[in-house]
Amino acid sequence: MSLRRTLTWALPAVAYAAFVRWYTDFGGPLDDDEIEMYLARFDALGYSDVELDRVGRFMKTDTGRQVLMMNVIDYADDPPDVPGAEPGESAAKLMDRYMQHMYAELFKRACHPTLMGKAVGDAIDLVGVDDLETAERWDAGAVFRWRSRRTFCDIVTIPETTGRHEFKVAALDKTISYPTEPQLNLGDPRALLGLFLLAAAALGDLLTTPTGRRR
């Protein structure tokens, strides 16, 4: 095989391996020492006993896999003034203030939104929450990909992130966020990038190698 053909296949393979290494947490499930460390961080941030119990169970059931956080959002129509923001700022502006630092921390750790959109109607199907008067009314939905529960705990305990949480609270009338582990994810960038690089390498090989030498 010529050097050109070797590079045609080797360079995409190296690029893909580097991406997978960055995009995937190979550290396995959180161990007991890590859990105790993160619980101490959450406690120092003022989490209540109920919140510590909830996040503790989340960490103790870790599988080491990626997590998709499902969010349903109802923005405040008249958010209160918050120190650090201009008086009368809208909910969208307050949320932008909260996410300004969060996005930087997310992206550099291979975490990112996978779906974001505005609600186009009230809840169509409500089961078990019919008695909640506000359950049918939402403004937006979003799904965020977290590389792992370890990465989640790293980001949400960063002082710069927690210090902006008041902006998020003021921007919302209500929200529900819960984690899932995908059993089917056709949009996983690792699969999409692998297919793209494979196709690009095959096309490059086809275009640059004479027919008689393709062996």
Side-chain angles (χ1 to χ4, degrees), residues 16 48 53-54 66-67 76-77 93 106 109 119 125 132 144 161 173 178 185 198 210:
Y16 181 71
S48 67
D53 179 66
R54 184 182 301 130
Q66 67 177 342
V67 170
D77 294 327
K93 180 62 176 179
L106 288 169
R109 292 175 174 84
D125 194 10
L132 301 181
F144 275 74
T161 299
D173 273 341
Y178 63 91
N185 183 10
L198 180 62

Side-chain angles (χ1 to χ4, degrees), residues 197-210:
L197 290 175
L198 180 62
L203 180 61
D205 188 27
L206 182 66
L207 294 177
T208 60
T209 305

Side-chain angles (χ1 to χ4, degrees), residues 1-61:
M1 180 180 292
S2 68
L3 177 60
R4 178 182 293 178
R5 293 194 68 191
T6 299
L7 292 176
T8 297
W9 290 98
L11 292 179
V14 171
Y16 181 71
F19 175 80
V20 170
R21 178 67 184 87
W22 169 72
Y23 199 78
T24 308
D25 187 337
F26 291 101
L30 290 163
D31 60 35
D32 292 340
D33 290 340
E34 288 179 299
I35 292 173
E36 290 302 318
M37 176 192 68
Y38 286 125
L39 283 175
R41 289 187 187 179
F42 284 114
D43 186 42
L45 292 172
Y47 275 52
S48 67
D49 290 341
V50 172
E51 291 171 324
L52 287 173
D53 179 66
R54 184 182 301 130
V55 75
R57 285 185 279 112
F58 177 59
M59 290 188 289
K60 290 173 183 177
T61 56

